[in-house]
Amino acid sequence: MANRTDPLAKSIHGTNPQNLVEKIVRSKIYQSTYWKEQCFGLTAETLVDKAMELDHTGGTYGGNRKPTPFLCLALKMLQIQPDKDIVVEFIKNEDYKYVRVLGAFYLRLTGTVADVYQYLEPLYNDYRKIRHKLSDGQFTLTHVDEFIDELLTKDYSCDTALPRIQKRWVLEASGTLEPRRSALEDDFEEEEEDKEEEQPMEIDEPNGREKDNHRGRSPARERDRDRDRDRDRKHERHHRDRDYDRDRDYDRDYGRGRERDRDRDRERDRNRDRDRDRHRLRDDDYGRDRDRDRERDGRERERRDRDRGRHRSRSRSRDRRDRDREDGEYRRRRGRGSASPRGRGEDGVTREEPKRRKEKKEKKGEGNAPDPTDPEIIEMNKLRASLGLKPLK
């Protein structure tokens, strides 16, 4: 609940305001002691007191990447989303420089392009020193105008990715911003007005008209004024050229970085294609070896089956011969043991066997022959004769 964004907060750049801080840094902030003890229950009014206690800026530091109080308060501002007027008052505060820097950092994350240039560019005139904590925990000395220049020209500050903004000359060309004016222009204009007021005006008494006399200016003063005007023009041209060169160098470095990333991606794709081809060749070789092994195993299996079938048929034929041989010997032994010596002839065949067979046939024939005197047979023969059939024998 303590880490949830205010329900009344609006989305910034199409996302939750707290998502402008990276997830890993955000989780480090949620786990820090400063966030749990000092940032709990803060509102837009009470946050000013905590901002006045800041004594340095920075992102994360140390081996376990602890967040600084500056970064914790920036995330708290993203969570409660104070009004724009409060943020502008933070930036315009000249008594506490860290309050001004905190408001500028928040406006750089959440403000529009016009607001960023409008409220942050005047801070180029703030040359006060501020302390900045590095990633190794050491402090370094910097200035407010350097911090503002980092916010306007870099993509990363205080371990936070800054939203991309357009170049100033693009906004000037589109009419969104007016050309930048130097802070020294007002001073020069005031000096020129003072000089003009100090010059006396002579009056011609007879005619009652003013004598121009070049407004009482001497040639030396004219030369000084021209020299000051030329110096001002050179100064403005120098600032404009420096800003243009800085933007051009930034664009060139950004283009080189993109080309370097594109070359790195192209080289990675080539390496991936090379690895894929090598794996494909290895898989093809493995597949051929596997098919070859499978064919060899199939041939060996067929040869073993054929040998096993041949051995089985040979064993069956051998068993059959042995069984036939045993059956023949058994019959011969049984035939010799069942016949008595009296009934045998010289050729080993019994003599009484044909007689018995003949008697059995005669008995069988006698038992099956019909009796011609049987009344039923007589009646049946008459019926068969009437039907044209042969009589029973």
Side-chain angles (χ1 to χ4, degrees):
M1 297 294 292
N3 301 332
R4 184 178 298 177
T5 308
D6 188 0
L8 300 178
K10 299 179 181 179
S11 62
I12 304 298
H13 303 298
T15 183
N16 191 334
Q18 293 194 80
N19 292 340
L20 297 176
V21 180
E22 296 179 358
K23 181 176 178 57
I24 297 177
V25 179
R26 195 165 65 244
S27 62
K28 293 290 184 182
I29 295 174
Y30 292 157
Q31 297 171 5
S32 65
T33 306
Y34 186 86
W35 174 267
K36 296 177 181 178
E37 295 180 356
Q38 305 297 329
C39 298
F40 180 78
L42 287 181
T43 61
E45 293 79 8
T46 59
L47 187 125
V48 181
D49 300 333
K50 296 297 179 182
M52 293 168 59
E53 297 175 359
L54 291 176
D55 58 354
H56 64 277
T57 62
T60 57
Y61 65 95
N64 54 358
R65 313 308 298 170
K66 292 182 180 180
T68 58
F70 178 84
L71 194 60
C72 294
L73 291 180
L75 182 63
K76 192 65 181 180
M77 292 181 69
L78 291 173
Q79 184 181 6
I80 63 178
Q81 200 177 57
D83 295 336
K84 181 180 177 181
D85 298 336
I86 298 177
V87 179
V88 172
E89 290 298 327
F90 274 32
I91 297 174
K92 291 182 179 180
N93 190 342
E94 297 180 357
D95 298 332
Y96 297 94
K97 52 189 175 183
Y98 292 103
V99 175
R100 168 174 281 191
V101 171
L102 180 62
F105 183 75
Y106 176 77
L107 185 65
R108 176 65 178 83
L109 290 175
T110 60
T112 60
V113 181
D115 292 340
V116 168
Y117 283 107
Q118 179 182 355
Y119 292 107
L120 265 62
E121 280 185 344
L123 301 185
Y124 274 128
N125 301 323
D126 192 348
Y127 306 111
R128 288 179 291 182
K129 298 178 182 179
I130 56 175
R131 292 198 308 168
H132 183 78
K133 181 172 282 190
L134 302 176
S135 59
D136 57 354
Q138 301 294 328
F139 287 96
T140 183
L141 191 63
T142 182
H143 299 82
V144 176
D145 59 333
E146 294 178 0
F147 187 83
I148 298 301
D149 185 70
E150 181 181 350
L151 293 179
L152 292 177
T153 58
K154 301 297 180 61
D155 294 334
Y156 217 74
S157 179
C158 297
D159 292 333
T160 305
L162 303 176
R164 294 295 302 274
I165 58 175
Q166 295 175 334
K167 303 299 180 184
R168 180 176 179 81
W169 62 270
V170 177
L171 300 176
E172 290 179 1
S174 62
T176 306
L177 291 179
E178 296 180 356
R180 181 182 173 185
R181 293 184 60 189
S182 175
L184 302 176
E185 290 184 1
D186 297 335
D187 297 337
F188 288 137
E189 290 179 357
E190 291 179 0
E191 290 180 0
E192 291 179 359
E193 291 178 358
D194 295 338
K195 290 179 181 179
E196 291 178 357
E197 290 177 357
E198 291 175 358
Q199 295 172 359
M201 301 294 292
E202 296 181 359
I203 301 176
D204 189 3
E205 293 179 357
N207 298 328
R209 293 181 301 179
E210 297 180 355
K211 286 185 177 181
D212 189 6
N213 194 17
H214 300 287
R215 293 192 173 217
R217 295 176 184 173
S218 63
R221 187 173 296 173
E222 287 290 335
R223 285 195 299 271
D224 294 337
R225 184 175 181 181
D226 294 339
R227 192 181 303 110
D228 294 337
R229 190 180 294 109
D230 294 338
R231 186 172 61 250
D232 294 340
R233 290 199 192 96
K234 290 180 180 178
H235 186 72
E236 286 296 327
R237 192 181 302 110
H238 173 69
H239 278 284
R240 192 180 299 109
D241 294 341
R242 187 179 62 181
D243 295 339
Y244 178 76
D245 293 339
R246 184 173 54 192
D247 295 340
R248 184 178 57 191
D249 295 339
Y250 177 76
D251 295 338
R252 184 172 60 250
D253 295 338
Y254 181 72
R256 289 176 182 172
R258 291 189 60 184
E259 291 178 359
R260 198 179 304 112
D261 295 338
R262 195 179 298 111
D263 295 338
R264 192 183 302 112
D265 295 339
R266 194 179 299 111
E267 184 66 23
R268 191 185 300 114
D269 294 338
R270 281 198 295 269
N271 294 332
R272 191 183 296 113
D273 296 338
R274 195 179 302 111
D275 294 338
R276 190 183 298 113
D277 296 338
R278 185 164 56 250
H279 288 304
R280 188 182 297 112
L281 292 175
R282 189 183 305 161
D283 294 340
D284 294 341
D285 296 339
Y286 175 74
R288 284 194 295 271
D289 295 339
R290 187 174 54 188
D291 296 338
R292 195 180 301 111
D293 295 339
R294 191 182 292 112
E295 292 177 359
R296 186 171 57 252
D297 294 340
R299 287 195 297 271
E300 292 179 357
R301 192 181 299 107
E302 291 177 359
R303 187 171 59 253
R304 284 197 301 270
D305 295 341
R306 191 165 51 251
D307 296 341
R308 192 181 297 111
R310 192 182 300 114
H311 179 70
R312 190 182 295 113
S313 62
R314 193 180 299 117
S315 300
R316 279 204 206 92
S317 59
R318 190 183 303 109
D319 295 339
R320 193 180 297 108
R321 285 198 300 272
D322 295 340
R323 195 162 47 251
D324 294 342
R325 191 181 301 109
E326 291 176 359
D327 292 343
E329 291 178 357
Y330 175 74
R331 288 195 192 93
R332 284 196 297 274
R333 284 199 305 271
R334 187 174 180 181
R336 285 197 299 270
S338 61
S340 61
R342 292 182 180 179
R344 291 179 182 276
E346 296 179 355
D347 53 355
V349 181
T350 56
R351 299 174 182 176
E352 297 180 356
E353 188 173 353
K355 295 181 179 179
R356 292 177 184 174
R357 291 178 181 173
K358 189 175 180 180
E359 291 177 358
K360 286 182 180 180
K361 288 182 180 180
E362 290 178 356
K363 290 180 180 181
K364 187 175 181 180
E366 290 177 359
N368 295 332
D371 188 6
T373 60
D374 190 359
E376 293 180 358
I377 293 175
I378 294 173
E379 189 69 24
M380 183 63 69
N381 286 334
K382 289 182 180 180
L383 181 60
R384 290 175 64 87
S386 62
L387 295 173
L389 300 176
K390 294 182 179 181
L392 297 174
K393 295 182 179 181

